[in-house]
Amino acid sequence: MSASKPYPGLSVPDEDAIVAEMLGMVARYSQSFPTHKPSRPAPQKHTILLTGATGVLGATLLSLLVPTPEVARIYVVNRRSPTGVPLLQRQMEAVAEAGFDAQEVLSSPKIVLLETNLPEERIGLSDELVEEIRNSVTHIIHNAYLVNFNVPLAGFDPNVKTLWHLCNLALASALPTPPRVMFVSTADVWSKKPVLTGPVPEIMTDARWATRGGYGESKWVCENILNEFAQNTPLCPIFMRVGQISGGQNGAWNSHDWVPAIIRSSVNCLGCLPSLDYDVPWIPGNIVAKAIIEMRDSPYMVHHLEHPRPVAWNTLFRPMADTLHIPLVPYETWLDRLEESGRTIRTPSEIEAGKRTNPAWTLINMFRGVVASSERAWRRAVGQAIMDMTHSLEVAPSLGEESCPQLTREDAVKWLHFWRSIGVLEWQVRAKL
Ligand SMILES: NC(=O)c1ccc[n+]([C@@H]2O[C@H](COP(=O)([O-])OP(=O)(O)OC[C@H]3O[C@@H](n4cnc5c(N)ncnc54)[C@H](OP(=O)(O)O)[C@@H]3O)[C@@H](O)[C@H]2O)c1
């Protein structure tokens, strides 16, 4: 049988072409820079502009910013709902799902809740609001982002453009120093780093290391646009390369993520969970949010954010297997079953149904990539590199041992109960004998 050829007009982009596209995007958004013209005194308290508070991390950030005494006001900018659900309702649901008292959080007079088209100039804000923001905002936390690992780089252009508009808005500030622009980046910016001889340092990375998919590539582009602003203007951006966020204080873990995908496919279709001999540095969302808030006046541009005290994969998967009453099997066995389960998925309606019942199958390439590596000493589960956290540990006390203890079986079981509570996971509870 001859090797399969790409369809006419379609090809797999090579790494050089992707790198050229990434560099082109950085150049496009770094052609010119506004001048910062301060005209007002520095405020006593902090005013935050937060984007994307309807997501898990954003809702947690909002809920923790409200009681922060130094924070006087929070402009919360969300995108519009495609289905017309009122903004307050969406925001309350997100805050409640993240495990906070939505009534209490959203009744705070500090909050100004806004809904805009983010990729528009001045992120779609009215003249009046822009004036208020110019005169008061001290920190911008840019968290809104398309989290989809199947979208190519070009599909993230609206997200990149939003970041660029935020940088321009920051430089339009009337305050003596422009707001700190804080960008929630990802560990994916070095997911293809070829040689690991130690933890990845908190420095700018090579474009090639990010070329595993459009999501990481676009985050690399954003980091490099911020770096251009830092080199050419008084802006002092901060970006946090976040590793895997796990369930927060109530176990709330984004159900579209790859870990819940493993659990859902395992329960619905495969009848087993994978065992792996790797550590996981997953960090609860409430600790990530606390650390980001603590980093807001950091003297450093680059921060890494993963759990400083990882645990073995099976410390979490063994209790999940016990709770779900399915066996823990060698990773290769689990992967074979996943490959087999996808063989019957062919038609568009089967693919749609597959996304719901067998979501791990849609991420099969990622799971195929989990292989024994000669550099495994510097790798975590699913190929992630170990990150140097020196800067982060220095500025974020929440990453300390007491406030950020190691994950335990109780955390793992809490995640399962959370997914069950929102209707994405079902299992038979067996009576104790
Ligand atoms: N979860 C992780 O493990 C992880 C790891 C590393 C980095 N991060 C980063 O952390 C941030 C928050 O992630 P999350 O896990 O909280 O994700 P999430 O629950 O999917 O929330 C994403 C937020 O961004 C908004 N959003 C999604 N697509 C958008 C678009 N095209 N334009 C404008 N806004 C959009 C969402 O609004 P709607 O509610 O309207 O959809 C939501 O408010 C993201 O920047 C993500 O890249 C997350």
Side-chain angles (χ1 to χ4, degrees), residues 8 16 69 83 97 114 122 159 181 221 260 268 304 323 339 378 408-409 411:
D16 287 344
T83 53
E97 191 168 307
L114 303 163
R122 306 186 312 177
N159 294 103
V181 176
V221 167
N268 296 339
H304 290 169
T323 306
E339 298 269 9
W378 302 112
T408 62
R409 57 175 298 125
D411 292 296

Side-chain angles (χ1 to χ4, degrees), residues 54-326:
T54 49
V56 180
L57 180 58
T60 309
L61 278 163
L62 174 60
S63 306
L64 295 175
L65 281 167
V66 165
T68 303
E70 306 82 38
V71 172
R73 181 158 270 233
I74 310 151
Y75 291 95
V76 183
V77 189
N78 291 311
R79 67 170 172 173
R80 290 200 177 88
S81 156
T83 53
V85 180
L87 175 60
L88 181 61
Q89 183 185 332
R90 285 195 294 142
Q91 192 59 77
M92 291 199 69
E93 284 168 5
V95 168
E97 191 168 307
F100 295 87
D101 182 334
Q103 203 70 45
E104 191 182 316
V105 171
L106 285 148
S107 61
S108 165
K110 292 183 180 181
I111 297 180
V112 181
L113 207 52
L114 303 163
E115 202 174 33
T116 73
N117 184 16
L118 284 155
E120 268 178 26
E121 194 141 346
R122 306 186 312 177
I123 61 162
L125 296 166
S126 68
D127 290 351
E128 257 176 298
L129 277 165
V130 168
E131 205 46 33
E132 269 184 47
I133 285 166
R134 280 187 61 235
N135 291 334
S136 63
V137 167
T138 53
H139 300 80
I140 295 174
I141 306 179
H142 183 34
N143 166 76
Y145 217 81
L146 174 62
V147 184
N148 185 326
F149 301 104
N150 293 321
V151 173
L153 175 59
F156 289 92
D157 191 61
N159 294 103
V160 177
K161 190 182 264 179
T162 302
L163 174 81
W164 178 65
H165 286 316
L166 285 169
C167 291
N168 291 332
L169 188 62
L171 283 167
S173 171
L175 304 184
T177 49
R180 301 299 297 271
V181 176
M182 305 180 72
F183 175 62
V184 185
S185 188
T186 166
D188 286 22
V189 295
W190 63 69
S191 52
K192 265 179 73 180
K193 188 174 186 312
V195 180
L196 294 172
T197 50
V200 179
E202 290 165 289
I203 55 168
M204 299 304 293
T205 59
D206 191 300
R208 284 179 198 278
W209 303 350
T211 56
R212 205 187 281 282
Y215 173 75
E217 289 156 9
S218 70
K219 291 271 184 178
W220 184 92
V221 167
C222 289
E223 286 191 2
N224 280 269
I225 293 169
L226 288 171
N227 191 35
E228 288 293 329
F229 273 83
Q231 303 299 319
N232 292 287
T233 74
L235 217 64
C236 294
I238 303 170
F239 41 85
M240 296 76 58
R241 293 181 183 144
V242 181
Q244 183 58 52
I245 302 177
S246 64
Q249 53 192 11
N250 64 338
W253 184 332
N254 194 336
S255 62
H256 305 296
D257 229 319
W258 64 273
V259 178
I262 291 181
I263 309 294
R264 289 165 69 189
S265 289
S266 298
V267 170
N268 296 339
C269 309
L270 313 179
C272 57
L273 276 174
S275 159
L276 259 182
D277 183 19
Y278 272 100
D279 282 350
V280 291
W282 303 337
I283 177 163
N286 53 319
I287 297 172
V288 173
K290 273 187 206 162
I292 290 176
I293 294 170
E294 288 165 352
M295 286 169 182
R296 68 189 187 280
D297 288 322
S298 169
Y300 304 109
M301 181 163 74
V302 187
H303 280 286
H304 290 169
L305 207 30
E306 67 175 9
H307 203 301
R309 287 161 288 280
V311 289
W313 171 282
N314 287 351
T315 301
L316 305 169
F317 272 70
R318 166 64 58 205
M320 288 203 270
D322 291 347
T323 306
L324 298 168
H325 305 293
I326 51 177

Side-chain angles (χ1 to χ4, degrees), residues 326-340:
I326 51 177
L328 200 57
V329 299
Y331 186 79
E332 294 70 20
T333 309
W334 179 84
L335 188 61
D336 284 347
R337 288 202 196 174
L338 183 63
E339 298 269 9
E340 193 54 41

Side-chain angles (χ1 to χ4, degrees), residues 313-383:
W313 171 282
N314 287 351
T315 301
L316 305 169
F317 272 70
R318 166 64 58 205
M320 288 203 270
D322 291 347
T323 306
L324 298 168
H325 305 293
I326 51 177
L328 200 57
V329 299
Y331 186 79
E332 294 70 20
T333 309
W334 179 84
L335 188 61
D336 284 347
R337 288 202 196 174
L338 183 63
E339 298 269 9
E340 193 54 41
S341 72
R343 285 197 220 294
T344 53
I345 300 179
R346 294 207 199 296
T347 65
S349 63
E350 284 167 352
I351 292 172
E352 270 317 300
K355 280 184 195 163
R356 285 190 301 277
T357 55
N358 191 3
W361 185 75
T362 65
L363 301 170
I364 186 86
N365 283 337
M366 173 177 158
F367 296 124
R368 283 181 190 135
V370 180
V371 284
S373 155
S374 55
E375 301 155 336
R376 56 175 293 138
W378 302 112
R379 293 220 179 261
R380 309 278 197 214
V382 198

